[in-house]
Amino acid sequence: MSNYHIKNFPEYYHVYRNSVREPETFWEEIAEEHFVWKKKWDKVLEWDFSKPEIKWFEGAQLNITENCIDRHLATRGDKTAILFEPNNPSEPAQHITYNQLSERVNQFANVLKENGIKKGDRVCIYVPMIPELAIATLACARIGAIHSVVFAGFSATALSTRINDSDCKMVITSDGSYRGSKTIDLKGIVDEALESCNSVETVLVAKRINSDINMKEGRDQWLQPLLDEASTVCEAEVMEAEDPLFILYTSGSTGSPKGMVHTTAGYMIYTAYTFKNAFQYRENDVYWCTADIGWITGHSYIVYGPLANGATSVMFEGVPSYPDFGRFWEIVEKHKVNQFYTAPTAIRALAKHGTALVDKYDLSSLKVLGSVGEPINEEAWHWYNDTIGKKKSPIIDTWWQTETGGMMITPIPFVTPTKPTYATLPFIGIQPCLMDENGNELQGNQVEGRLCIKYPWPSMARTIWGNHQRYKETYFSAYKNCYFTGDGALRDEVGYYRITGRVDDVIIVSGHNLGTAPIEDAINEHPAVAESAIVGFPHDIKGSALYGYITLKDLGESRDHTNLSKEINQLIADKIGPIAKLDKIQFTEGLPKTRSGKIMRRLLRKIASNELDNLGDVSTLLNPEVVESIKENRL
Ligand code: WTA
């Protein structure tokens, strides 16, 4: 029996039991047999959740790119590693083999070095979904630079906040990007961001849309001529197991985005192991994850997890709606995709367009369907299962987070019986628990509480960049000796988990995590705004959408609220990005507050969701009278 590849349910139980009874022995065996090391570890695990401090494979030395690229060259050199499908369907796809990937990563790594980047330096990667994005990421890992990929849909302000937070020395970008029928001036956004960044010395610019852009003398350089000159050989830097591999920012309930720090060995092992099993990947399969590499899903399951298994990973530049809503299925047919991984929001948007655009294509290559990023509702689950999977491709509803690095609760296809809307059982090595409000662990089945994890797993984030205290407070303070996820969940009668959603002020819109605080801060910068509160409400396609309650300094009748709403949304787009725009804006005379002055978001959430019958007792509020008028004027 192989612990690395689980093939049936009894095997899952057996391996799971071993993985939690003797975690160190278990992970040591996986590490030993399936990865290449420059030096073996002294100790498998050291941990203390009260500090918190977590170390996996201390003493080991490795380079993740040797595991993701070099070791495959002897047997898989001519196999496609990255299959790039461009935005425009008439532009040919690119099959980048492992040999070519090796050369291109090494060239890029040499360019980084020639431009002064050393081990430990932070490099911001703000590149659309073109091969250079994956290659730049791996090139950083090759030389031990810490990559900080910022999703290329974020605004200049959001970009500069992230660059400054981790003092990036370099930015890698492109002249622009294609998104459906539109082009986006990425370099212009970088120029604007860098007006408020002092740490950046160099900007490398990939050519994608051939637009006429401004190149700042002494700072900006075109990438291609540098790559053409660079050697295709670059020795891999020796990395310690716990050296940081990357920083990735995620929204919190309050304050600025958190730079989650992932380290090298544990992250590699866990993403590789979960990829292999959760997708039941076989040697000649073509795997496609539709996420952007700017999110954790892309890091773990477009780049590192698949490449560590020598897989073929599709990278799609475009959007599901261009040139029409059949694009995903056209790509599945064209590349004979075997495993397909997407988000519920995309499934809902596609389902809305019926089956005609699905039926046009041959989807018989599909074996496994994945879902990630938010709870998948029953209707979307069935559409995915029936219309796309033809009831023969199991759906893996994978629950995990930027902080967890890899999948935590998920069915293993053809192994775990699935159940609509349930993420089902913990992955090998993962020990979830549910807590009640008083911090007691809920025992047995048929219980609902807050989802925590009791024991370390290899790919957990180790800290928040520059703010270990915040890491401790956010994840390890709510419950003693547990990692708190911020999600609620229930456990059914057979022990299956269903994720019920966030229990904090993070709202997931179209699969993107948004903290309410930064959006409210952006709104409050508008000169006419006195105060604002953002809540989520259910939305057919996006899962949740944003509802803003805004009080103005002067609620004069003469104000044009339509224009004001537009200005406010523009401000949000400028400060955060278009994904954070509000769907509904209600101008109110006041916001309901407790006697201690806290905004009663629970109440606002219910009103936004049209749950008006069940608002509870509002008489203890500081200003109960505003509730009636908010209710009356709800949108
Ligand atoms: C939510 C994405 C229900 C959850 C990998 C989590 C999910 C947050 C699921 C993390 C799922 C993710 N079912 N909810 N299958 N997957 N979530 O950091 O609230 O972008 O805490 O990581 O998304 O989002 P993040």
Side-chain angles (χ1 to χ4, degrees):
M1 186 196 320
S2 150
N3 281 344
Y4 192 69
H5 190 184
I6 315 283
K7 297 190 201 65
N8 56 55
F9 205 44
E11 206 171 284
Y12 162 79
Y13 261 113
H14 179 79
V15 177
Y16 180 79
R17 209 175 321 114
N18 289 343
S19 75
V20 300
R21 277 193 189 157
E22 292 188 54
E24 297 185 33
T25 316
F26 175 79
W27 288 112
E28 178 155 43
E29 190 191 307
I30 297 277
E32 187 103 46
E33 288 178 12
H34 301 280
F35 300 90
V36 294
W37 304 90
K38 290 177 188 287
K39 175 178 170 282
K40 294 277 168 72
W41 44 92
D42 304 319
K43 196 160 193 304
V44 177
L45 173 63
E46 205 164 331
W47 67 291
D48 179 349
F49 276 176
S50 70
K51 285 183 177 167
E53 186 177 78
I54 302 107
K55 290 182 184 163
W56 282 93
F57 301 102
E58 258 228 301
Q61 293 179 333
L62 73 156
N63 189 290
I64 196 168
T65 65
E66 290 187 331
N67 283 276
C68 288
I69 305 171
D70 303 48
R71 66 160 158 162
H72 304 311
L73 298 181
T75 52
R76 299 181 176 119
D78 294 325
K79 178 177 175 178
T80 302
I82 291 176
L83 202 174
F84 172 64
E85 172 66 28
N87 177 65
N88 179 347
S90 48
E91 189 184 324
Q94 292 175 32
H95 293 254
I96 302 170
T97 64
Y98 275 92
N99 278 328
Q100 291 165 336
L101 184 65
S102 167
E103 291 184 357
R104 290 177 71 174
V105 166
N106 285 344
Q107 283 179 315
F108 208 130
N110 282 322
V111 169
L112 295 177
K113 285 211 274 196
E114 278 153 25
N115 282 278
I117 301 299
K118 298 181 303 298
K119 180 177 177 182
D121 287 343
R122 275 79 60 208
V123 173
C124 173
I125 304 179
Y126 186 71
V127 175
M129 280 288 281
I130 55 176
E132 285 80 355
L133 172 54
I135 293 166
T137 304
L138 291 160
C140 286
R142 186 78 176 172
I143 64 165
I146 303 170
H147 56 77
S148 167
V149 181
V150 176
F151 170 59
F154 273 122
S155 70
T157 315
L159 176 60
S160 67
T161 309
R162 287 160 176 78
I163 292 172
N164 287 332
D165 184 74
S166 46
D167 292 314
C168 294
K169 207 166 156 187
M170 175 186 273
V171 176
I172 302 169
T173 188
S174 68
D175 56 350
S177 66
Y178 292 120
R179 212 180 146 70
S181 55
K182 289 191 247 166
T183 54
I184 298 168
D185 174 21
L186 279 196
K187 177 61 168 53
I189 297 173
V190 170
D191 288 341
E192 192 187 329
L194 292 190
E195 281 172 22
S196 47
C197 300
N198 296 323
S199 56
V200 175
E201 292 167 10
T202 313
V203 178
L204 300 181
V205 188
K207 201 167 243 179
R208 178 55 181 146
I209 66 169
N210 289 311
S211 62
D212 197 11
I213 56 163
N214 179 42
M215 294 291 278
K216 187 170 169 186
E217 182 91 37
R219 186 194 71 182
D220 303 350
Q221 300 192 64
W222 288 106
L223 181 62
Q224 198 55 48
L226 303 178
L227 290 172
D228 292 342
E229 293 295 307
S231 158
T232 55
V233 179
C234 175
E235 205 174 314
E237 182 74 39
V238 179
M239 302 298 286
E240 302 294 326
E242 284 295 335
D243 276 341
L245 174 63
F246 65 86
I247 302 169
L248 185 60
Y249 287 88
T250 187
S251 307
S253 331
T254 54
S256 52
K258 299 171 286 193
M260 304 314 306
V261 177
H262 281 283
T263 57
T264 307
Y267 176 82
M268 170 182 79
I269 291 167
Y270 194 76
T271 53
Y273 185 47
T274 44
F275 173 80
K276 175 73 183 168
N277 287 289
F279 293 108
Q280 291 287 307
Y281 185 85
R282 307 276 168 143
E283 185 58 36
N284 293 314
D285 287 346
V286 174
Y287 159 85
W288 179 21
C289 166
T290 70
D292 193 291
I293 293 176
W295 310 114
I296 191 69
T297 306
H299 280 61
S300 302
Y301 299 112
I302 295 177
V303 182
Y304 291 112
L307 297 182
N309 283 283
T312 297
S313 180
V314 175
M315 211 182 143
F316 175 43
E317 183 185 26
V319 292
S321 55
Y322 179 80
D324 63 35
F325 277 91
R327 186 69 192 278
F328 272 6
W329 320 126
E330 186 224 305
I331 297 172
V332 168
E333 176 184 282
K334 179 173 168 192
H335 298 302
K336 300 196 171 45
V337 171
N338 302 112
Q339 292 91 358
F340 177 74
Y341 193 28
T342 196
T345 189
I347 299 166
R348 288 189 294 263
L350 294 165
K352 210 177 121 198
H353 290 84
T355 54
L357 285 169
V358 182
D359 295 341
K360 261 174 82 178
Y361 301 100
D362 175 8
L363 305 184
S364 60
S365 57
L366 289 173
K367 295 195 285 194
V368 176
L369 302 176
S371 171
V372 60
E374 57 186 307
I376 178 166
N377 52 306
E378 188 116 18
E379 205 184 336
W381 195 97
H382 285 294
W383 189 82
Y384 202 24
N385 187 54
D386 300 356
T387 309
I388 305 306
K390 322 287 182 206
K391 297 190 173 159
K392 69 172 180 53
S393 306
I395 294 177
I396 53 163
D397 178 1
T398 64
W399 172 81
W400 57 295
Q401 310 178 294
T402 304
E403 295 86 336
T404 69
M407 298 169 186
M408 301 291 282
I409 303 183
T410 177
I412 295 179
F414 309 105
V415 170
T416 321
T418 59
K419 176 173 176 183
T421 76
Y422 279 74
T424 74
L425 296 172
F427 193 76
I428 308 298
I430 303 303
Q431 303 188 35
C433 59
L434 297 175
M435 297 291 191
D436 70 12
E437 306 260 325
N438 305 319
N440 300 315
E441 183 176 347
L442 296 162
Q443 303 292 339
N445 290 338
Q446 288 190 294
V447 287
E448 179 166 357
R450 296 179 172 211
L451 179 60
C452 294
I453 315 287
K454 286 199 264 197
Y455 196 84
W457 63 99
S459 67
M460 63 192 297
R462 303 294 197 258
T463 189
I464 293 174
W465 184 263
N467 198 344
H468 196 67
Q469 186 58 26
R470 187 174 180 199
Y471 176 68
K472 178 175 175 170
E473 279 162 17
T474 312
Y475 304 106
F476 296 92
S477 301
Y479 304 99
K480 199 162 182 273
N481 272 326
C482 273
Y483 164 84
F484 173 48
T485 64
D487 283 317
L490 60 83
R491 196 158 53 216
D492 76 358
E493 62 288 352
V494 297
Y496 273 19
Y497 287 87
R498 176 184 183 162
I499 312 303
T500 49
R502 300 291 310 183
V503 295
D504 56 13
D505 286 333
V506 172
I507 305 171
I508 304 192
V509 178
S510 300
H512 303 309
N513 294 5
L514 299 172
T516 51
I519 304 175
E520 289 164 6
D521 290 346
I523 297 170
N524 298 349
E525 280 188 29
H526 192 288
V529 171
E531 209 177 15
S532 60
I534 304 298
V535 297
F537 70 99
H539 186 280
D540 283 356
I541 307 283
K542 300 179 182 182
S544 297
L546 301 178
Y547 193 118
Y549 297 92
I550 297 177
T551 62
L552 298 175
K553 286 179 181 151
D554 162 19
L555 201 66
E557 293 296 312
S558 59
R559 269 182 199 281
D560 179 344
H561 284 184
T562 313
N563 270 342
L564 208 48
S565 296
K566 278 192 195 144
E567 285 167 24
I568 287 169
N569 263 333
Q570 189 55 46
L571 202 54
I572 296 173
D574 292 345
K575 296 280 167 194
I576 298 158
I579 48 179
K581 283 189 186 176
L582 309 182
D583 266 43
K584 294 185 179 176
I585 298 182
Q586 179 178 353
F587 294 100
T588 74
E589 287 158 42
L591 298 173
K593 293 197 178 154
T594 61
R595 302 237 166 226
S596 60
K598 254 185 104 179
I599 297 171
M600 281 283 280
R601 286 169 195 281
R602 186 180 50 79
L603 195 68
L604 292 173
R605 229 176 336 251
K606 285 197 171 154
I607 297 176
S609 308
N610 204 10
E611 293 169 24
L612 303 179
D613 299 337
N614 176 21
L615 294 183
D617 182 12
V618 299
S619 63
T620 57
L621 290 178
L622 197 62
N623 49 353
E625 69 285 353
V626 299
V627 177
E628 269 317 302
S629 94
I630 292 179
K631 264 166 68 179
E632 260 166 42
N633 297 310
R634 74 174 283 279
L635 301 170

